[in-house]
Amino acid sequence: MDTTLRLAQQPEADELLGRSPLAALVGMLLDQQIPMEWAFCGPYTIAQRMGVDDLDAGAIAAYDPEAFAELLREKPAVHRYPGSMAKRIQQLCGFLVEEYGGDAAGVWTGVASGAELLSRLKALPGFGEQKAKIFLALLGKQLGVRPSGWREAAGAYGEAGCFRSVADITGAESLAKVRVHKREAKGAARGASGGVGGRPRPDAG
């Protein structure tokens, strides 16, 4: 995995996302209840504060939990809820160590179908159905991971030519289109619920 992504809209952070499977997974995990660029800058910020060039699942899983939470809380904070997200990141990394030997790319390496890949992604701590489908679409559309049936497994997020999620963002223009889609979707949801507000979906990608 070594490609060019434009999710953080910050060159160093995007470079890390493009070469590090774990950074991409952590960025997707962080992408909830904060702007997308903030979320996908998170892996780079964490690496910088740990004094490393890349994220390592084993090192993060073994990090003292309170110290890791403080690392995320340091201003500017990595997330609006740094304490809870620090715990989720460590849970994700612990799972990757146990199930894939710490190799994040092992989640999608050798999968036979889009359905199998979706199942593996949904098993990751912090990845619900929607987040798993968005990340599956990102893998297929931008990272060249395209097992049989990947578009179908990703649902609407896998459609070609759409601007629904981070999977469709390749620059400022597509980012603007995705934001328009999200605003329209939220407006439609509010209308369907009679204008009653609520908390954002936890895996809103």
Side-chain angles (χ1 to χ4, degrees):
M1 177 171 151
D2 192 359
T3 190
T4 301
L5 295 177
R6 295 286 186 270
L7 305 180
Q9 301 285 295
Q10 201 263 6
E12 293 84 359
D14 279 327
E15 189 274 333
L16 177 60
L17 294 171
R19 65 178 166 83
S20 169
L22 180 56
L25 278 175
V26 170
M28 190 72 238
L29 180 65
L30 289 168
D31 187 25
Q32 55 193 63
Q33 299 182 323
I34 61 173
M36 179 206 72
E37 302 97 311
W38 183 5
F40 282 95
C41 276
Y44 178 74
T45 301
I46 293 169
Q48 290 287 293
R49 292 177 183 176
M50 292 181 71
V52 297
D53 293 327
D54 195 0
L55 299 182
D56 178 87
I60 292 176
Y63 215 90
D64 176 76
E66 186 53 40
F68 190 67
E70 284 300 319
L71 186 147
L72 268 69
R73 289 190 189 106
E74 181 182 328
K75 296 188 182 300
V78 169
H79 194 274
R80 180 178 295 161
Y81 306 109
S84 61
M85 294 311 298
K87 182 177 180 180
R88 290 189 183 189
I89 291 170
Q90 289 195 292
Q91 288 173 338
L92 171 64
C93 289
F95 182 87
L96 292 172
V97 169
E98 292 176 8
E99 299 295 327
Y100 298 100
D103 179 16
V107 176
W108 51 86
T109 299
V111 293
S113 68
E116 181 185 359
L117 178 52
L118 179 61
S119 178
R120 288 191 183 189
L121 289 169
K122 286 168 62 178
L124 297 175
F127 277 66
E129 175 110 5
Q130 183 185 27
K131 190 181 290 290
K133 286 183 175 181
I134 291 171
F135 195 78
L136 196 161
L138 176 65
L139 287 170
K141 290 181 176 182
Q142 298 199 47
L143 298 174
V145 179
R146 296 166 183 150
S148 175
W150 71 270
R151 287 191 186 275
E152 291 79 4
Y157 300 108
E159 293 176 9
C162 70
F163 296 94
R164 287 191 173 91
S165 72
V166 299
D168 306 305
I169 295 172
T170 56
E173 183 178 350
S174 52
L175 171 59
K177 291 180 179 179
V178 168
R179 286 208 164 114
V180 168
H181 170 79
K182 288 181 178 294
R183 283 197 298 270
E184 292 175 347
K186 287 179 180 177
R190 281 196 297 270
S193 63
V196 179
R199 291 173 62 85
R201 287 182 60 88
D203 49 18

